[in-house]
Amino acid sequence: MKVLVFGGAHGQVATSLRRQSGNRIQIQSLGRDSVDFRVGGQITAAIQATDADVIINAAAYTNVDKAEHQPELAEQINHLAVAEIGRAAAMRAIPVLHISTDYVFFGTGETPWRPHDPTDPRSVYGASKARGEQALAQAGGCFAILRTSWVFSAGGQNFVLAMLRLGDDESIVRVVKDQIGGPTSADDIARALLTIAQRLVAGRSGGGVYHFSGAPDCSWAEFAHEIFTQAGRNVRVVPILSEDYPTVAIRPRNSRLDCASLEQEFGIFRPDWRVGLANVLQQLGAIS
């Protein structure tokens, strides 16, 4: 299976996908140096030239707070570029897998969000991602949208790396306790995407919208505690409320995702994020 991946050298999922390349799976990764999502037509040209069996879009504008001040850029990358991917892929009958986010939901309550619950984002980032989903669904081709949450890996920018840096200098850290979700390893996301891709290419799935996140659900404070515990760091986590850590963009309090349809259709179960965390810490050499 030949896979065209949109996503740069520092993208967490794109990096994990590149590591999956082998005899049975050939990955062609195009970053910003090859295809600039800010320039119309470059995406279409790349898709017209590819001989890939499936496309995975792992590129996105993900700086949630900065997006509040750069809404046009977030819109271009997270919505308009995705629309172009959908149209160009539909013209060539190439299935598209697209990574989205829990931020498309309002983010209240305690019930896990289901794939077909109404979206109602509270941030510029979430709104741009929701419009990208809609554009892909309306492009007329075969597609699968995989919403995920709290992505972490050994590279890029993520919560695990941020906590480890803090732990180098601080013995006490204050972390939000009233935002609940499922941390998700980029490696687990990459494996899930490729499983879905194989089914789409073989015509054994019609695609749709799915959720995928690590288990069990936890708070950011609980996530931080596990990071320091596994890393053997003597750092105390002080749980705080969201109001005590104000941010430019509104964060969802409820990022729980109902992943049942992914399990039922593809046999993909929610992975234990603590195992994924241990793997990441080993990659970093951060386990003492």
Side-chain angles (χ1 to χ4, degrees), residues 12 102 147-153 158-160 163 175-176 179-189 212-227 230 255-257 259 269-278 280:
Q12 296 186 86
D102 58 290
R147 295 186 184 127
T148 190
S149 62
W150 298 17
V151 182
F152 66 91
S153 69
N158 61 74
F159 185 75
V160 172
M163 287 299 103
V175 186
V176 169
Q179 297 173 19
I180 310 297
T184 317
S185 161
D187 286 341
D188 287 328
I189 295 171
F212 181 68
S213 65
D217 292 326
C218 66
S219 68
W220 287 111
E222 291 167 330
F223 190 12
H225 177 76
E226 184 66 18
I227 293 167
Q230 287 199 23
S255 291
R256 301 170 181 88
L257 297 175
C259 306
F269 294 83
R270 294 184 68 185
D272 189 328
W273 60 263
R274 295 165 296 194
V275 175
L277 173 62
V280 164

Side-chain angles (χ1 to χ4, degrees), residues 12-110:
Q12 296 186 86
V13 177
T15 299
S16 291
L17 283 165
R18 285 193 292 272
R19 288 202 297 266
Q20 306 295 321
S21 189
N23 291 332
R24 298 179 61 185
I25 298 175
Q26 299 178 39
I27 303 290
Q28 178 192 12
S29 182
L30 297 179
R32 182 173 158 184
D33 57 336
S34 301
V35 178
D36 192 336
F37 274 29
R38 300 169 300 177
V39 180
Q42 290 194 8
I43 292 170
T44 299
I47 293 175
Q48 288 175 340
T50 190
D51 62 348
D53 302 302
V54 63
I55 296 167
I56 297 178
N57 180 36
Y61 183 108
T62 58
N63 192 320
V64 177
D65 287 327
K66 202 170 179 180
E68 297 294 315
H69 303 297
Q70 294 185 322
E72 295 86 0
L73 184 57
E75 181 76 0
Q76 176 60 42
I77 295 173
N78 293 342
H79 170 204
L80 300 179
V82 177
E84 185 177 348
I85 291 172
R87 291 191 301 267
M91 290 177 63
R92 295 206 51 206
I94 302 175
V96 176
L97 281 77
H98 173 64
I99 303 169
S100 194
T101 172
D102 58 290
Y103 275 69
V104 301
F105 295 114
F106 190 83
T108 57
E110 297 181 356

Side-chain angles (χ1 to χ4, degrees), residues 8 18 27 70 109 111 113 141 166 175 184 191 215 225 229 233 239 263 277 287:
R18 285 193 292 272
I27 303 290
Q70 294 185 322
T111 302
W113 298 101
L166 273 177
V175 186
T184 317
R191 284 189 286 269
H225 177 76
T229 298
R233 304 285 186 92
E263 176 184 336
L277 173 62
I287 297 180

